[in-house]
mmCIF file of all heavy atoms in Angstrom:
data_model
loop_
_atom_site.group_PDB
_atom_site.id
_atom_site.type_symbol
_atom_site.label_atom_id
_atom_site.label_comp_id
_atom_site.label_asym_id
_atom_site.label_seq_id
_atom_site.Cartn_x
_atom_site.Cartn_y
_atom_site.Cartn_z
ATOM 1 N N ALA A 913 -18.861 15.975 10.251
ATOM 2 C CA ALA A 913 -20.105 15.625 10.905
ATOM 3 C C ALA A 913 -20.424 14.168 10.523
ATOM 4 O O ALA A 913 -21.049 13.455 11.260
ATOM 5 C CB ALA A 913 -21.217 16.618 10.287
ATOM 6 N N HIS A 914 -19.981 13.731 9.324
ATOM 7 C CA HIS A 914 -20.347 12.408 8.917
ATOM 8 C C HIS A 914 -19.314 11.343 9.392
ATOM 9 O O HIS A 914 -19.536 10.178 9.352
ATOM 10 C CB HIS A 914 -20.369 12.389 7.378
ATOM 11 C CG HIS A 914 -21.155 11.197 6.741
ATOM 12 N ND1 HIS A 914 -22.288 10.635 7.279
ATOM 13 C CD2 HIS A 914 -20.807 10.399 5.679
ATOM 14 C CE1 HIS A 914 -22.639 9.606 6.576
ATOM 15 N NE2 HIS A 914 -21.839 9.364 5.589
ATOM 16 N N ARG A 915 -18.147 11.809 9.822
ATOM 17 C CA ARG A 915 -17.121 10.816 10.219
ATOM 18 C C ARG A 915 -17.480 9.840 11.231
ATOM 19 O O ARG A 915 -17.117 8.646 11.132
ATOM 20 C CB ARG A 915 -15.885 11.662 10.720
ATOM 21 C CG ARG A 915 -14.617 10.767 10.691
ATOM 22 C CD ARG A 915 -13.490 11.367 11.486
ATOM 23 N NE ARG A 915 -12.965 12.643 10.857
ATOM 24 C CZ ARG A 915 -11.728 12.697 10.260
ATOM 25 N NH1 ARG A 915 -11.042 11.590 10.003
ATOM 26 N NH2 ARG A 915 -11.308 13.851 9.851
ATOM 27 N N PRO A 916 -18.206 10.243 12.322
ATOM 28 C CA PRO A 916 -18.578 9.154 13.336
ATOM 29 C C PRO A 916 -19.353 7.927 12.693
ATOM 30 O O PRO A 916 -19.093 6.871 12.911
ATOM 31 C CB PRO A 916 -19.397 9.900 14.322
ATOM 32 C CG PRO A 916 -19.054 11.336 14.272
ATOM 33 C CD PRO A 916 -18.676 11.610 12.817
ATOM 34 N N ALA A 917 -20.177 8.311 11.828
ATOM 35 C CA ALA A 917 -21.059 7.344 11.168
ATOM 36 C C ALA A 917 -20.233 6.381 10.271
ATOM 37 O O ALA A 917 -20.304 5.237 10.172
ATOM 38 C CB ALA A 917 -22.160 7.880 10.346
ATOM 39 N N MET A 918 -19.292 7.080 9.462
ATOM 40 C CA MET A 918 -18.462 6.358 8.640
ATOM 41 C C MET A 918 -17.415 5.453 9.383
ATOM 42 O O MET A 918 -17.324 4.234 9.044
ATOM 43 C CB MET A 918 -17.640 7.267 7.667
ATOM 44 C CG MET A 918 -18.543 8.044 6.642
ATOM 45 S SD MET A 918 -17.465 8.984 5.379
ATOM 46 C CE MET A 918 -16.850 10.238 6.315
ATOM 47 N N ALA A 919 -16.814 6.016 10.393
ATOM 48 C CA ALA A 919 -15.897 5.295 11.173
ATOM 49 C C ALA A 919 -16.704 4.051 11.824
ATOM 50 O O ALA A 919 -16.086 2.873 11.865
ATOM 51 C CB ALA A 919 -15.250 6.087 12.258
ATOM 52 N N ALA A 920 -17.818 4.337 12.425
ATOM 53 C CA ALA A 920 -18.552 3.272 13.098
ATOM 54 C C ALA A 920 -18.841 2.073 12.058
ATOM 55 O O ALA A 920 -18.663 0.897 12.481
ATOM 56 C CB ALA A 920 -19.868 3.817 13.618
ATOM 57 N N LYS A 921 -19.021 2.449 10.802
ATOM 58 C CA LYS A 921 -19.267 1.328 9.797
ATOM 59 C C LYS A 921 -18.052 0.506 9.578
ATOM 60 O O LYS A 921 -18.072 -0.657 9.580
ATOM 61 C CB LYS A 921 -19.688 2.048 8.492
ATOM 62 C CG LYS A 921 -20.261 1.158 7.473
ATOM 63 C CD LYS A 921 -20.999 1.889 6.392
ATOM 64 C CE LYS A 921 -21.570 0.907 5.450
ATOM 65 N NZ LYS A 921 -20.488 0.329 4.602
ATOM 66 N N VAL A 922 -16.865 1.204 9.489
ATOM 67 C CA VAL A 922 -15.666 0.458 9.256
ATOM 68 C C VAL A 922 -15.252 -0.348 10.467
ATOM 69 O O VAL A 922 -14.952 -1.471 10.323
ATOM 70 C CB VAL A 922 -14.471 1.536 9.045
ATOM 71 C CG1 VAL A 922 -13.111 0.740 8.858
ATOM 72 C CG2 VAL A 922 -14.738 2.339 7.835
ATOM 73 N N TRP A 923 -15.507 0.291 11.644
ATOM 74 C CA TRP A 923 -15.243 -0.538 12.893
ATOM 75 C C TRP A 923 -16.033 -1.855 12.902
ATOM 76 O O TRP A 923 -15.500 -2.910 13.194
ATOM 77 C CB TRP A 923 -15.448 0.327 14.132
ATOM 78 C CG TRP A 923 -14.432 1.378 14.359
ATOM 79 C CD1 TRP A 923 -13.111 1.378 13.945
ATOM 80 C CD2 TRP A 923 -14.753 2.647 15.024
ATOM 81 N NE1 TRP A 923 -12.618 2.631 14.221
ATOM 82 C CE2 TRP A 923 -13.563 3.376 14.939
ATOM 83 C CE3 TRP A 923 -15.804 3.161 15.676
ATOM 84 C CZ2 TRP A 923 -13.406 4.677 15.463
ATOM 85 C CZ3 TRP A 923 -15.706 4.519 16.249
ATOM 86 C CH2 TRP A 923 -14.505 5.204 16.155
ATOM 87 N N SER A 924 -17.391 -1.684 12.614
ATOM 88 C CA SER A 924 -18.177 -2.860 12.834
ATOM 89 C C SER A 924 -17.858 -3.943 11.743
ATOM 90 O O SER A 924 -17.853 -5.071 11.941
ATOM 91 C CB SER A 924 -19.700 -2.544 12.771
ATOM 92 O OG SER A 924 -20.058 -2.063 11.499
#
Side-chain angles (χ1 to χ4, degrees):
H914 197 41
R915 195 195 294 257
M918 290 192 288
K921 192 162 179 296
V922 177
W923 291 332
S924 71

